Amino acid sequence: MADVRPESMERITTPELAKAFIDEQVEAVKKQVGDKKVLLALSGGVDSSVVAALLIKAIGKNLVCVHVNHGLLRKGEPEQVIEVFKNQMDANLIYIDATDRFLDKLAGVAEPEKKRKIIGEEFIRVFEEEARKLQDVDFLAQGTIYPDILESGPVKAHHNVGGLPEDIHFEGLVEPIKLLFKDEVRVIGRELGLPTGMVERQPFPGPGLGVRCTGAITRDRLEALRESDAILREEFAKAGLEGKVWQYFTIVPDYKSVGVKNGLRSFEWPCIIRAVNTKDAMTATIEEIPYSLLAKIVSRITSEVPGINRVLYDLTPKPTGTIEWE
Ligand code: XMP
């Protein structure tokens, strides 16, 4: 498949068009790989999940999915990947909990770019090790989508965790959705039967919660981040904001302040809420969240999450802020 989307290619907006695309790609993949094995790093994000579901349809157990948990995923994510792909779709899924390995490597590292580099490199190492153990995989599948091809420049370079294992030779790449835009990938995902929560998932950086646990990551602060993020997502979903706000998450910085909890002095971290809207992530505006919802989230986070005694709402658009804090 060429890397340029033909002008004549119809935008996939309906289940019928999605079905036709899926049938076409299933045939193309079968033709490309025959009875050989294909390896896929399955993060659980929209793109890799759609590729996984498509390839399971095409080649079944000859697709080997590797889900690496780097310990920086959101609450419930590895469980969802296992439930959807292993339990429901009966995929050939290898789950690797590499949490300790990543967190040990990251211990004491405060510099944001260094953290990203460690996470990215370690991810490739873990993936390579698995690939080497498997030996007889000939193809590598990737969830490349059209904007990745259009935007692959210096800005995006640091954004991609993973990428190609460096010293393993594959006969070829399988990239069935590389000419699609994100909205089309979601239509395909729905048609393939993936759960709505997975198909509509908000963008999540490759280095995951690592960029939101600012400074040197510690396990207790990472846990506070994961729990506060889960509460935020739950309350946004209940308020019908899921799918309406482009990206929302919490940050737990490496800083403590004095507060009062249960009548006693506390010395704990703040939690910062960020909820932004954007078209292309180059600029972003702040979502106006109803005050009552914010108050509820503040109350839940400060009472349910150990280690947090304050909650702040970041009102800064991009520019001057970036969307993430690191
Ligand atoms: P910033 O913080 O640069 O983020 O305004 C713009 C968008 O990119 C996402 N982002 C990343 N995505 N790997 C990714 O895959 C990364 O390292 C990374 N850093 C930022 C961010 O979540 C936002 O949607």
Side-chain angles (χ1 to χ4, degrees):
M1 205 197 296
D3 270 358
V4 181
R5 184 174 167 124
E7 291 218 348
S8 59
M9 190 169 153
E10 194 174 355
R11 192 91 173 192
I12 299 167
T13 51
T14 64
E16 293 71 34
L17 291 169
K19 192 172 176 314
F21 177 88
I22 293 164
D23 291 345
E24 192 183 295
Q25 284 307 314
V26 163
E27 284 317 306
V29 170
K30 279 185 183 165
K31 200 166 158 218
Q32 184 188 2
V33 307
D35 58 4
K36 293 189 170 163
K37 289 201 172 145
V38 180
L39 183 65
L40 170 73
L42 174 58
S43 70
V46 184
D47 306 334
S48 66
S49 296
V50 167
V51 169
L54 191 65
L55 295 190
I56 290 166
K57 206 172 159 67
I59 57 169
K61 298 254 175 179
N62 274 350
L63 172 72
V64 184
C65 301
V66 177
H67 179 55
V68 177
N69 179 358
H70 51 26
L72 304 165
L73 297 173
R74 288 174 292 192
K75 190 172 179 175
E77 281 185 328
E79 292 82 0
Q80 188 187 37
V81 169
I82 293 167
E83 172 57 27
V84 170
F85 291 98
K86 201 172 185 95
N87 301 350
Q88 294 174 18
M89 297 194 178
D90 196 27
N92 192 351
L93 173 73
I94 298 171
Y95 170 63
I96 301 164
D97 185 355
T99 302
D100 289 340
R101 195 168 153 166
F102 278 85
L103 294 187
D104 288 351
K105 271 252 152 86
L106 287 163
V109 181
E111 212 277 306
E113 287 305 310
K114 209 164 163 198
K115 284 166 70 181
R116 277 174 200 270
K117 199 158 176 272
I118 290 173
I119 298 167
E121 283 180 0
E122 199 59 17
F123 189 92
I124 296 179
R125 292 292 90 75
V126 174
F127 189 63
E128 261 177 2
E129 281 171 25
E130 280 315 303
R132 227 175 267 119
K133 278 189 218 157
L134 293 166
Q135 286 170 344
D136 61 340
V137 283
D138 299 282
F139 289 87
L140 182 73
Q142 287 194 305
T144 314
I145 65 171
Y146 206 44
D148 298 332
I149 294 176
L150 296 177
E151 294 162 18
S152 58
V155 178
K156 261 261 162 168
H158 74 283
H159 276 185
N160 291 325
V161 161
L164 282 174
E166 283 152 13
D167 55 349
I168 297 185
H169 177 73
F170 290 99
E171 194 175 317
L173 281 180
V174 180
E175 297 180 299
I177 57 170
K178 75 173 175 185
L179 296 184
L180 302 186
F181 290 100
K182 198 76 171 194
D183 54 312
E184 299 179 294
V185 178
R186 294 192 209 277
V187 180
I188 307 279
R190 270 192 287 276
E191 187 60 25
L192 285 164
L194 291 174
T196 308
M198 200 169 237
V199 174
E200 296 298 337
R201 232 173 76 142
Q202 47 169 324
F204 186 58
L209 298 178
V211 298
R212 299 174 184 168
C213 190
T214 65
I217 299 168
T218 58
R219 288 177 191 245
D220 50 358
R221 196 155 51 87
L222 182 60
E223 209 39 45
L225 174 61
R226 202 181 329 263
E227 289 300 322
S228 59
D229 174 74
I231 291 172
L232 181 76
R233 285 191 289 136
E234 193 185 316
E235 290 301 329
F236 266 45
K238 273 199 237 161
L241 292 173
E242 203 178 28
K244 294 204 177 114
V245 183
W246 197 78
Q247 199 173 14
Y248 46 95
F249 54 88
T250 59
I251 297 129
V252 178
D254 187 11
Y255 174 80
K256 286 184 176 177
S257 73
V258 174
V260 196
K261 250 190 186 179
N262 306 321
L264 295 172
R265 176 189 187 273
S266 73
F267 187 53
E268 297 179 314
W269 305 295
C271 165
I272 296 145
I273 297 173
R274 193 119 173 88
V276 301
N277 286 309
T278 178
K279 281 206 160 53
D280 55 9
M282 301 302 284
T283 62
T285 55
I286 300 306
E287 173 73 16
E288 277 189 40
I289 305 297
Y291 192 82
S292 55
L293 175 60
L294 282 176
K296 186 165 179 211
I297 294 169
V298 173
S299 157
R300 279 199 63 192
I301 292 179
T302 50
S303 62
E304 293 175 35
V305 183
I308 302 228
N309 63 359
R310 287 173 197 268
V311 179
L312 295 84
Y313 189 62
D314 184 353
L315 287 166
T316 322
K318 176 180 180 178
T320 53
T322 49
I323 293 176
E324 303 288 347
W325 268 43
E326 278 193 348

